[in-house]
Amino acid sequence: MLTDFSALTAELARIPNQRRVGRVTAVGTAALEIAGLSNHARIGDQVAIGVGNGAAQVSEIGGEVVGVSEQVVRAMTYGPLDGAAVGNAATLLGA
């Protein structure tokens, strides 16, 4: 007996196999700015900010895109920005 995987294959094809990653360029008390995502981010998209020392990511801070300009994306986080710094990776997760 053969199993038909066509529906599963079609659903898997819809999942993006890449992630858009930018870099934090400014950190404020309640928001941060991210370069490299302006052409892809939309208001309301989710982002994950990697926090840690240099290349070693210790944790992530979740946030939401609240502004987009030609140069940067502004995001507000769901928690405190403790440990966030210029240069941290910021992954665009989408809506």
Side-chain angles (χ1 to χ4, degrees), residues 35-84:
L37 298 178
S38 294
N39 292 332
H40 309 288
R42 304 290 179 260
I43 300 294
D45 281 352
Q46 305 297 303
V47 293
I49 312 303
V51 179
N53 296 333
Q57 180 178 316
V58 176
S59 64
E60 285 187 345
I61 301 172
E64 183 174 327
V65 174
V66 296
V68 180
S69 73
E70 289 184 24
Q71 292 80 25
V72 295
V73 169
R74 179 171 288 275
M76 293 189 71
T77 59
Y78 299 130
L81 285 167
D82 297 345

